Amino acid sequence: MNSPIIASNPSFIESKDILSRAISKHIFIILVADCKIDYVGRSSSKMSWGERVIMLKSDGAVLIHRKTNYKAVNWQPPGANITVSLERGELNIRADRRRPRETLSITCRKIIFISSFLLKDEASFDMLLSEADIYKVLMLYPSLIEPEFRISKQQKELGGGKADITGFDKNGQYTVVEIKRIPADSNSVKQLYRYISNLRTTSPQVRGILLAPNINASAKNLARSLSIEYYSLDLKKIADIYSKKNSSDVERLDKHLF
Amino acid sequence: MVFLAKTSSPNEWKVVVNTISALVEEASFEATSEGLTFRAMDPSHVALVDLDWPNLAFDKYDCDKQLKLTVRVEDLVKLIRRADGKDSVEISMNEDETLLLKLANGYKRQFQIHLIESTYDATPVPKLAFNTKVEITEPTFEKMLNDISAVSDHIIISADEKKLIFSGKSDSGTGSATLEKGNQELLQLNVKEESKATYSIDYLLNITKAAGKSTDVLTFEYSSKMPLRLTFKLSEKGGRMCFYLAPRIEEK
């Protein structure tokens, strides 16, 4: 059932075949290739020939890794449309995104290794985290917002259930943090801005931080223009802490399954 | 190999797809000559959805051997969303083993969906006995859930022979909503033993809202500190969806 396809030093035709099949079936692919990279989007970049590891994930995400460093040197997020073609004796892999318009183009002059395989991964991730749960964890560990962040005394007195945290950063600057459990969009930015602009009439330096798992490009630009900061919220980390705090909060259906 | 399933309206598919997308990213439908079934648990194993859609509930149904059709839910959601209220929906299997989705109402559209390999094992069915059975109108149930969600992210359901109480509490306050036996929105209240349990509102609201598009009445069953089962019809012609939700343990 789950036999990986592995080919070392495959021909271009063989590689294209393996890639096309795997892409249409949304199967994970890893290849090692001597390639050059072209990225065109909000900016553009080029990387000339070199041997790199390329990962094509089942959700359309693409990652290119060089031989050192832990970060991908180029990538496309999930949802990219991936196409493979043979042009001028080279294998080309293109990952296109529409919004924003971005194209990552990988041209390979030699495929050293290619493998496609199905990954079985049913590890649970506590998706029951509500905004209130996230709030509770951040109140307990405010340095998760920012190092040396302190919750305001007023906030401590207000208690739970809100989505905003007010406090002071390491420089003593009053800061409002808005938590979002889902990706932030322009409305989230505007919501925080409305709250903050009132405060900024008397204290122009008040900081506004939007905490969300991710944010779309136009919202990010809007935030920047309104002097609102965005930090990525690591839901998994928060879930881990929360579940350690309340390990028996929610049951699973497993024990009732026949 | 032949597979074709046609409905004269997209509503059933919209309900199915909206329910499933709240829980999982890939969906494996089993098609046999008897009909279409689907069962899956969400990644945290707290919720389980079970669909039984018999052949007679379709306008046209044809399946000559047992098939497993696994699709990425997101792909299916995007296409089903393209259907208007008057569209008929026909899903069939192509020779090249892709799924063909046809929407038609004068204006015809056709989409191809790639089938993927399933990465999940088959989900078994929960074995449960319930002490309380409630049949309630969908709008009222949704309203009660919304009322409690104003104060808490989980709901405590208490039932005795005479009444049904939904309540919730959090640091910001408490709230409760009561329905007494005899109320016309409460079509049935069958209590073998007084029952009290707590569930996450989010899951319940998602399913209820999705269900509301196809039905006016829902049934839910539960026992103290045990999983709840919510059942509703997919359409007048047949088809039924069951949703199981594990209870939350009350913090002391």
Side-chain angles (χ1 to χ4, degrees):
Chain A
M1 268 275 280
N2 185 12
S3 343
I5 294 175
I6 303 174
S8 78
N9 292 312
S11 66
F12 282 137
I13 308 262
E14 201 182 342
S15 305
K16 178 172 188 289
D17 190 46
I18 294 173
L19 278 165
S20 301
R21 248 189 252 246
I23 290 166
S24 74
K25 286 193 175 292
H26 298 281
I27 296 179
F28 206 107
I29 301 160
I30 292 185
L31 62 144
V32 178
D34 182 4
C35 58
K36 67 175 170 143
I37 320 284
D38 273 284
Y39 163 78
V40 176
R42 284 159 290 174
S43 60
S44 71
S45 67
K46 274 190 201 307
M47 206 187 329
S48 69
W49 300 106
E51 288 171 0
R52 295 163 195 131
V53 176
I54 299 158
M55 264 188 270
L56 303 176
K57 296 196 177 186
S58 49
D59 58 6
V62 180
L63 290 122
I64 300 164
H65 278 276
R66 299 182 80 181
K67 62 186 180 188
T68 54
N69 217 314
Y70 69 99
K71 283 194 193 172
V73 73
N74 223 317
W75 65 87
Q76 279 284 38
N81 191 36
I82 306 182
T83 44
V84 186
S85 60
L86 275 172
E87 282 160 41
R88 292 180 287 248
E90 290 169 335
L91 184 79
N92 184 265
I93 302 170
R94 254 176 74 135
D96 281 296
R97 267 181 95 196
R98 281 215 332 251
R99 269 176 261 144
R101 211 156 181 56
E102 290 182 303
T103 300
L104 181 63
S105 184
I106 308 167
T107 309
C108 307
R109 65 185 178 190
K110 170 104 181 87
I111 310 286
I112 295 155
F113 164 83
I114 184 168
S115 179
S116 75
F117 44 88
L118 208 52
L119 281 175
K120 264 188 173 227
D121 185 351
E122 294 172 59
S124 77
F125 183 119
D126 197 340
M127 293 294 279
L128 283 183
L129 266 192
S130 64
E131 262 159 30
D133 296 333
I134 299 172
Y135 175 93
K136 279 186 199 144
V137 173
L138 293 176
M139 287 289 280
L140 280 176
Y141 305 98
S143 57
L144 285 173
I145 298 169
E146 220 186 29
E148 296 175 73
F149 191 88
R150 275 162 27 243
I151 310 283
S152 71
K153 196 158 126 199
Q154 194 184 28
Q155 182 79 50
K156 289 192 195 158
E157 280 160 6
L158 274 176
K162 300 185 93 267
D164 295 332
I165 292 183
T166 55
F168 300 91
D169 69 11
K170 64 174 188 250
N171 299 319
Q173 186 57 249
Y174 192 68
T175 305
V176 178
V177 181
E178 173 143 334
I179 304 160
K180 282 266 174 280
R181 200 177 133 262
I182 53 172
D185 58 11
S186 299
N187 282 332
S188 329
V189 178
K190 285 179 200 164
Q191 195 183 348
L192 180 55
Y193 179 67
R194 275 197 291 270
Y195 186 76
I196 296 242
S197 51
N198 271 331
L199 298 172
R200 280 180 180 164
T201 51
T202 42
S203 313
Q205 301 302 322
V206 168
R207 285 177 69 200
I209 298 178
L210 187 56
L211 258 184
N214 40 58
I215 187 170
N216 69 42
S218 60
K220 203 167 187 181
N221 288 333
L222 181 63
R224 211 175 295 136
S225 66
L226 297 173
S227 299
I228 287 184
E229 298 158 67
Y230 162 75
Y231 284 170
S232 173
L233 183 64
D234 187 347
L235 282 177
K236 182 143 202 329
K237 193 172 183 181
I238 307 262
D240 284 344
I241 297 172
Y242 188 81
S243 64
K244 281 191 189 89
K245 180 173 110 56
N246 287 331
S247 55
S248 56
D249 208 28
V250 187
E251 274 195 17
R252 302 217 132 97
L253 285 173
D254 298 17
K255 62 187 183 196
H256 303 284
L257 293 173
F258 174 56
Chain B
M1 158 176 30
V2 172
F3 171 69
L4 189 142
K6 183 174 180 177
T7 53
S8 55
S9 116
N11 285 345
E12 297 96 316
W13 277 112
K14 289 200 180 198
V15 171
V16 168
V17 139
N18 286 338
T19 309
I20 294 174
S21 66
L23 298 183
V24 290
E25 286 180 349
E26 62 171 66
S28 289
F29 290 89
E30 289 267 342
T32 64
S33 53
E34 319 264 280
L36 214 57
T37 56
F38 170 85
R39 198 183 302 143
M41 269 198 287
D42 78 320
S44 62
H45 287 205
V46 161
L48 188 153
V49 72
D50 184 36
L51 164 71
D52 182 17
W53 204 350
N55 52 19
L56 292 173
F58 290 90
D59 276 30
K60 190 168 173 204
Y61 187 89
D62 228 323
C63 184
D64 64 355
K65 74 172 216 188
Q66 185 162 6
L67 286 172
K68 187 170 179 183
L69 309 163
T70 309
V71 295
R72 273 159 47 87
V73 179
E74 204 192 299
D75 293 344
L76 192 57
V77 167
K78 270 196 283 200
L79 298 178
I80 296 286
R81 247 186 224 152
R82 299 306 312 151
D84 298 318
K86 298 216 170 69
D87 277 321
S88 68
V89 178
E90 183 189 290
I91 294 195
S92 59
M93 185 81 132
N94 262 343
E95 269 153 21
D96 61 357
E97 299 197 1
T98 56
L99 225 50
L100 199 60
L101 174 73
K102 288 186 188 161
L103 303 174
N105 174 30
Y107 172 55
K108 289 189 192 148
R109 292 167 284 173
Q110 193 167 294
F111 303 97
Q112 199 180 41
I113 305 174
H114 283 286
L115 292 174
I116 59 175
E117 301 243 5
S118 171
T119 50
Y120 292 101
D121 294 321
T123 308
V125 124
K127 206 174 153 97
L128 291 161
F130 303 104
N131 282 331
T132 294
K133 182 172 180 175
V134 177
E135 207 179 326
I136 185 173
T137 56
E138 189 277 328
T140 302
F141 188 59
E142 198 178 322
K143 192 156 68 150
M144 287 171 88
L145 289 174
N146 276 321
D147 286 338
I148 304 303
S149 72
V151 293
S152 175
D153 60 2
H154 44 274
I155 187 164
I156 304 165
I157 307 183
S158 307
D160 63 34
E161 293 177 341
K162 304 221 174 78
K163 60 192 183 303
L164 179 67
I165 306 176
F166 282 17
S167 60
K169 58 178 192 272
S170 70
D171 292 338
S172 66
T174 65
S176 77
T178 308
L179 264 188
E180 301 194 1
K181 197 162 191 172
N183 185 307
Q184 62 181 18
E185 308 293 319
L186 192 55
L187 302 163
Q188 193 192 145
L189 178 62
N190 211 317
V191 179
K192 286 188 207 146
E193 196 182 286
E194 274 182 36
S195 310
K196 184 172 177 180
T198 308
Y199 305 98
S200 163
I201 293 190
D202 253 349
Y203 277 108
L204 280 175
L205 256 183
N206 280 337
I207 296 296
T208 305
K209 282 193 195 148
K213 302 232 159 37
S214 76
T215 188
D216 288 325
V217 168
L218 325 144
T219 301
F220 72 86
E221 300 158 279
Y222 75 108
S223 308
S224 291
K225 301 195 179 149
M226 292 290 273
L228 171 144
R229 177 170 73 187
L230 188 78
T231 311
F232 59 91
K233 269 198 304 206
L234 206 51
S235 78
E236 285 312 308
K237 289 212 180 97
R240 154 288 305 111
M241 283 213 89
C242 276
F243 173 72
Y244 295 82
L245 184 60
R248 284 180 72 125
I249 298 172
E250 294 247 27
E251 279 176 62
K252 280 290 158 219

